[in-house]
């Protein structure tokens, strides 16, 4: 829900209400605090579910999944953001007069891919020459990433529901 609240708050911000800002701030705070909270409570939960002698090996196994995720997550978010920025550039350029585009960037729209790769054409630069009333897509470039994170959080919730305690005859209260 926190990831969806971030998306909602960005799309609802019209500058007249403080509610989207409060929802955005609260959602981001919840998301950030959950990362530390899950790491801090992991050993206690593992001990309660699987016995104290299993805390070290199971925590190590969990970390073997968490650490690659710590590298892959930012890479995925960056990739989705870059794709959203490129899509926004293509959509904005469709609304811009060919002469204005060529005057601003020195080349025609047929060279748009090259201009994007060279970072010559950006959303802010296109907004400077866009027709009046054009909505700036910059606040929405993280939507796809937020949808991904929302889906992954839902998947994590489902997989956590599959975890069952060890049967009592295999349970151990002693440390290894």
């Amino acid at each position: 829900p926190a990831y969806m609240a971030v998306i909602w708050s960005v799309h609802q911000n019209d500058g007249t209400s403080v509610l989207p800002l409060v929802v955005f701030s609260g959602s981001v705070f919840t998301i950030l605090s959950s990362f530390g909270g899950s790491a801090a409570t992991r050993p206690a939960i593992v001990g309660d579910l699987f016995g104290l002698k299993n805390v070290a090996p199971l925590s190590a196994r969990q970390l073997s999944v968490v650490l690659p995720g710590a590298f892959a997550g930012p890479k995925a978010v960056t990739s989705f953001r870059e794709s959203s920025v490129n899509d926004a550039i293509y959509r904005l350029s469709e609304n811009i007069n060919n002469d204005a585009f060529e005057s601003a960037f020195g080349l025609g729209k047929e060279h748009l891919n090259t201009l994007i790769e060279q970072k010559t054409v950006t959303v802010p630069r296109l907004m400077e020459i866009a027709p009046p009333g054009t909505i700036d897509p910059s606040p929405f470039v993280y939507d796809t990433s937020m949808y991904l994170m929302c889906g992954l959080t839902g998947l994590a919730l489902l997989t956590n529901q599959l975890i069952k305690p060890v049967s009592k005859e295999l349970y151990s209260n002693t440390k290894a």
Side-chain angles (χ1 to χ4, degrees):
Y3 289 106
M4 293 304 289
V6 168
I7 295 170
W8 177 87
S9 63
V10 168
H11 287 266
Q12 296 302 312
N13 185 15
D14 60 3
T16 62
S17 173
V18 74
L19 180 63
L21 177 62
V22 171
V23 170
F24 180 84
S25 299
S27 299
V28 170
F29 176 77
T30 301
I31 292 167
L32 292 176
S33 64
S34 70
F35 291 120
S38 65
T41 59
R42 184 177 294 123
I45 293 171
V46 169
D48 288 345
L49 288 176
F50 302 108
L52 296 177
K53 76 175 187 175
N54 296 311
V55 170
L58 289 177
S59 292
R61 285 185 182 175
Q62 288 174 337
L63 287 176
S64 71
V65 174
V66 170
L67 292 177
F71 290 106
K75 181 89 171 149
V77 169
T78 301
S79 174
F80 281 120
R81 180 191 178 279
E82 192 170 314
S83 175
S84 294
V85 167
N86 288 345
D87 289 345
I89 289 172
Y90 288 118
R91 282 193 308 274
L92 281 174
S93 68
E94 291 171 358
N95 298 330
I96 296 173
N97 179 299
N98 289 335
D99 294 332
F101 187 91
E102 192 167 340
S103 173
F105 301 110
L107 293 171
K109 290 182 187 178
E110 64 274 6
H111 299 284
L112 187 57
N113 288 334
T114 304
L115 293 169
I116 291 172
E117 288 173 14
Q118 295 172 345
K119 306 284 187 208
T120 304
V121 173
T122 62
V123 171
R125 292 274 320 270
L126 285 173
M127 288 303 296
E128 292 173 3
I129 60 172
T134 302
I135 296 173
D136 185 357
S138 298
F140 313 113
V141 296
Y142 285 101
D143 283 1
T144 307
S145 299
M146 291 294 126
Y147 287 129
L148 170 70
M149 299 309 292
C150 186
L152 290 175
T153 302
L155 181 63
L157 177 67
L158 292 175
T159 58
N160 282 336
Q161 296 304 311
L162 298 174
I163 297 174
K164 301 295 179 213
V166 174
S167 64
K168 290 295 181 185
E169 63 265 3
L170 299 173
Y171 195 84
S172 172
N173 283 327
T174 60
K175 290 186 177 182

